[in-house]
Amino acid sequence: MFIIGERINGMFHDIARAIRRKDPGPVQEWARRQEAMGAAYLDLNVGPAVADRVPAMRWLVAVTQDASKLPLCLDSTDYDAIEAGLEICTKPAMINSVPVVQEKMDRIFAMAASYSAEIIGLTMNETGVPRDVESRIALAVELVMHCDAHAIPIDKLYIDPLVLPVNISQDQGPAVLETLRQIKLLSDPPPKTTLGLSNISQGTKSRELINRVFVVMAMACGLDAAIGDACDEELAKAVAPARILLNKDIYCDSYVKIFSNQGR
Amino acid sequence: MFIIGERINGMFHDIARAIRRKDPGPVQEWARRQEAMGAAYLDLNVGPAVADRVPAMRWLVAVTQDASKLPLCLDSTDYDAIEAGLEICTKPAMINSVPVVQEKMDRIFAMAASYSAEIIGLTMNETGVPRDVESRIALAVELVMHCDAHAIPIDKLYIDPLVLPVNISQDQGPAVLETLRQIKLLSDPPPKTTLGLSNISQGTKSRELINRVFVVMAMACGLDAAIGDACDEELAKAVAPARILLNKDIYCDSYVKIFSNQGR
C-alpha cells in the first residue's frame, strides 16, 4: 500500500495563492516534503477557485516535475485539464477520477490508453454513491469491463469504493471493507484499489487516529493505495508495520525508518 | 473485540512471588488496574515455576475475584488446575486452552459443558502448528464438531489460529488473517476467534506498535478477542476507533475515553 500525497491542492490556501501568483515555491516545497516523507505519487488539483483549469494544471504539472521525480496523479473533474497535464507528464501518470457514467468513461479510458495512464474509477454513477456492497461491486464490474474494452491492463485500474464520514454514515465502514475484499475477486490479476482516506474522518475529533486505524483495516482487506497526508508521521508508522505483517516488505528492525525514506 | 488482560501470569516476577508468598496484593492490584483500563476478562496463569498448580490456581481465582467483577480466563496446561479454578468461579469462565488432541478435547469439552465455560481451542495437534490456512481450518472444523458433540453453543468456542513472531515467520501474518476470515464461514452462528497477541511481536523492536497494528488488521478479519496488555493505552486507542469503524459501537466524539473506561 502506498500513499498518494494529497497536499498540492487548491483547496489549501497556500497552493491556491501559489497558482494565482504563478509562484512555484509552495508547490515545489510540498512536492519535496511529501516525497521525502514516503509519498509514492503526488496528487495535483488546481482547486475550485481557478477560472481556467487547463493552463493552471499544465503549470502545476510543470513546476511539480521540476522539484520531484515522483509520478503524478492528475485530479480534476475537468477532463481538458487532465489531458493538458498528461501531455507534458514525463512519466506515466494516474487520472483521478472517473465515475461509472458512459460519456465520462469513454473519454477517460481512451485518454488513459493514449497516455499509458493509470485510472482511479469510482463506484458511483449519475444517481450517486450506492450504500451497499452489491451495488458498489456492480459498478466496479462496469469499470473492469471498460478497462478490458480499451485494452488497458487491469492492474492499471484503481477502484475507489468511496468512504463516507464515520460520524454520519457508520454502516459504511464495514461496507467499504467488504467491497475492497470483493473487488479482489473480480478478475485475475485483480483490479487495484484506492481510497480518499481523509473522507472517513471528516468532522470527527482525532482525525489522524481514525485515518490510520481505517487504512490498516483496509490494508488487511487488500487496499493498494490511499490518497492521504504523506506528512502524517503516525500514518507512516502504522502503514510500515502493516506492510511487514502482510509480508509485503521483508522484516528488519528499522522498517519504519526505511519505509519513511523510500517512497512507495 | 475485547481484551483478555494477560498480566496475572507467573511468568512475571511480581506475580510469581505473590503466588509463592500467598500475598494477594500484586494480583489484586493488577486485577483492578486491568479492569480500569478496559479489560473484559482477566487471564490467570500460575506460571511454570509452581510445584502444585491446583492449590495455586484456586488461590489465584479466589483473590482475583475478591478484587474484580470481571470473568476469568483460566490459563494452564494442567487441566486439574483449571477444574479446581472452575469449581470456585462465581461467573462463567473461559478455559485457555485446548489443542486438537483427542483425550484433551474429551476432558476440556466435558468440563466446559459442566461449568458453562467458554473454551479457547487451538489450531494445533500432536504434530504442532500447521503453517498453511487449509490445515488450520481443518483443525478448526474438528473443534467445531467437538463443540457440537458436547452440545456447547458454538459461540462459546474461541478459536485461536496461533500467530508466530513476525521477524522469523513473516508469511504467517497473512495466513493467520485469512484463517480468521475463513473460521467465520464454518458455521452459523460462527465460532468466535481469539489471538495471543504478543506472540506476533516476540523479539522485535517497537513491540507495541506491531501488536496494535496487527490487532486492527485482525479485527477487520473478524477477530473477537485477544489476550494482550490491557494497560497499553495506545492499544486501547487503536481498538476503540476500530470498533467504531466496524460499526460495533455507536460513534461519539469521546469514544476512546468511553472505551477505555467500560471494559469490553
Side-chain angles (χ1 to χ4, degrees):
Chain A
M1 210 286 300
F2 58 79
I3 301 287
I4 302 167
E6 71 187 358
R7 191 53 178 75
I8 304 179
N9 188 316
M11 297 280 282
F12 294 101
H13 293 310
D14 59 344
I15 300 296
R17 195 171 49 232
I19 293 172
R20 232 171 19 244
R21 297 180 181 173
K22 294 262 184 292
D23 170 15
V27 174
Q28 295 183 333
E29 172 60 25
W30 277 113
R32 279 187 283 260
R33 200 184 300 180
Q34 293 180 98
E35 180 173 354
M37 288 293 295
Y41 285 68
L42 298 175
D43 192 76
L44 301 186
N45 186 321
V46 300
V50 171
D52 190 349
R53 291 172 183 179
V54 169
M57 181 65 95
R58 200 181 284 126
W59 178 82
L60 209 51
V61 168
V63 300
T64 303
Q65 284 186 151
D66 283 345
S68 167
K69 64 170 173 42
L70 293 182
L72 305 178
C73 179
L74 307 184
D75 183 359
S76 184
T77 50
D78 181 339
Y79 294 162
D80 292 332
I82 287 186
E83 185 144 25
L86 287 175
E87 282 168 0
I88 59 166
C89 279
T90 55
K91 53 186 74 173
M94 194 181 282
I95 296 171
N96 184 8
S97 59
V98 64
V100 181
V101 173
Q102 193 59 51
E103 68 273 17
K104 295 187 178 185
M105 288 194 295
D106 287 344
R107 172 137 192 223
I108 288 294
F109 280 87
M111 208 189 281
S114 303
Y115 293 92
S116 297
E118 295 171 313
I119 303 169
I120 296 177
L122 310 175
T123 61
M124 66 179 289
N125 59 13
E126 293 90 344
T127 61
V129 181
R131 298 181 69 86
D132 61 309
V133 176
E134 293 71 18
S135 308
R136 280 184 167 100
I137 290 295
L139 294 173
V141 168
E142 291 199 53
L143 291 164
V144 168
M145 285 166 54
H146 270 78
C147 216
D148 198 44
H150 286 83
I152 296 169
I154 194 70
D155 58 3
K156 290 197 155 196
L157 174 64
Y158 286 75
I159 299 180
D160 179 346
L162 294 165
V163 290
L164 296 168
V166 65
N167 60 346
I168 53 173
S169 297
Q170 222 190 309
D171 60 321
Q172 292 297 291
V176 163
L177 295 174
E178 181 58 26
T179 304
L180 288 172
R181 221 173 259 144
Q182 292 191 19
I183 287 171
K184 289 296 177 187
L185 306 174
L186 289 183
S187 60
D188 183 16
K192 293 191 172 165
T193 52
T194 188
L195 288 175
L197 184 57
S198 51
N199 289 346
I200 190 78
S201 63
Q202 285 270 9
T204 67
K205 288 177 68 171
S206 336
R207 290 199 62 177
E208 289 80 5
L209 176 62
I210 288 179
N211 290 347
R212 69 179 178 262
V213 168
F214 192 67
V215 84
V216 164
M217 298 178 111
M219 288 174 73
C221 299
L223 186 69
D224 295 296
I227 302 173
D229 180 0
C231 298
D232 175 351
E233 284 186 50
E234 291 296 321
L235 179 65
K237 258 180 66 181
V239 170
R243 286 185 56 90
I244 297 283
L245 290 162
L246 290 172
N247 206 17
K248 303 285 188 187
D249 291 326
I250 295 171
Y251 179 85
C252 71
D253 283 344
S254 52
Y255 60 85
V256 171
K257 185 153 173 265
I258 289 170
F259 174 82
S260 301
N261 287 309
Q262 72 189 1
R264 286 163 192 285
Chain B
M1 209 287 300
F2 59 80
I3 301 287
I4 302 167
E6 70 187 359
R7 192 51 179 76
I8 303 179
N9 189 315
M11 296 281 283
F12 293 101
H13 294 309
D14 59 344
I15 299 295
R17 195 170 49 232
I19 292 172
R20 233 171 19 244
R21 297 181 181 174
K22 294 261 185 292
D23 169 15
V27 174
Q28 295 183 332
E29 171 61 24
W30 278 113
R32 279 187 282 261
R33 201 184 300 180
Q34 292 180 98
E35 180 173 356
M37 286 294 294
Y41 286 67
L42 298 175
D43 193 76
L44 301 187
N45 186 320
V46 299
V50 171
D52 191 348
R53 290 172 185 182
V54 169
M57 180 65 94
R58 202 181 283 125
W59 178 81
L60 210 50
V61 168
V63 300
T64 304
Q65 284 185 149
D66 283 345
S68 167
K69 63 169 176 41
L70 293 182
L72 305 178
C73 179
L74 306 184
D75 184 359
S76 184
T77 51
D78 181 338
Y79 294 162
D80 293 331
I82 287 185
E83 185 145 27
L86 286 174
E87 282 167 0
I88 59 166
C89 280
T90 55
K91 55 186 73 174
M94 195 181 281
I95 296 171
N96 183 10
S97 58
V98 64
V100 182
V101 173
Q102 192 60 51
E103 68 274 17
K104 296 189 178 185
M105 287 194 295
D106 287 345
R107 170 135 193 226
I108 288 292
F109 280 87
M111 207 189 281
S114 304
Y115 293 93
S116 297
E118 296 171 311
I119 304 168
I120 296 177
L122 309 176
T123 60
M124 65 180 289
N125 59 13
E126 293 90 343
T127 61
V129 181
R131 298 181 68 86
D132 62 309
V133 176
E134 294 70 20
S135 308
R136 281 184 168 99
I137 290 295
L139 294 172
V141 168
E142 291 198 54
L143 292 164
V144 168
M145 284 167 53
H146 270 77
C147 215
D148 197 44
H150 286 82
I152 296 169
I154 194 70
D155 57 3
K156 290 197 155 197
L157 174 64
Y158 286 74
I159 299 179
D160 180 346
L162 294 165
V163 290
L164 297 169
V166 65
N167 60 346
I168 54 173
S169 298
Q170 220 189 309
D171 60 322
Q172 292 297 292
V176 164
L177 295 175
E178 182 58 26
T179 304
L180 288 173
R181 220 173 261 143
Q182 292 191 20
I183 287 171
K184 290 296 177 188
L185 305 175
L186 289 183
S187 60
D188 184 15
K192 293 190 171 166
T193 52
T194 188
L195 288 176
L197 185 57
S198 52
N199 289 346
I200 190 79
S201 63
Q202 286 270 10
T204 67
K205 288 178 69 172
S206 336
R207 291 199 61 179
E208 289 81 4
L209 175 62
I210 288 179
N211 289 347
R212 69 179 178 263
V213 167
F214 192 67
V215 86
V216 163
M217 297 179 112
M219 287 175 75
C221 299
L223 185 70
D224 295 297
I227 302 174
D229 180 0
C231 299
D232 175 351
E233 284 186 50
E234 292 296 321
L235 178 65
K237 258 179 65 180
V239 170
R243 286 186 55 91
I244 297 282
L245 290 163
L246 289 172
N247 205 17
K248 303 283 189 188
D249 290 327
I250 295 171
Y251 180 86
C252 71
D253 282 344
S254 52
Y255 60 85
V256 172
K257 186 153 172 263
I258 289 170
F259 175 83
S260 301
N261 288 309
Q262 73 188 2
R264 287 164 192 283

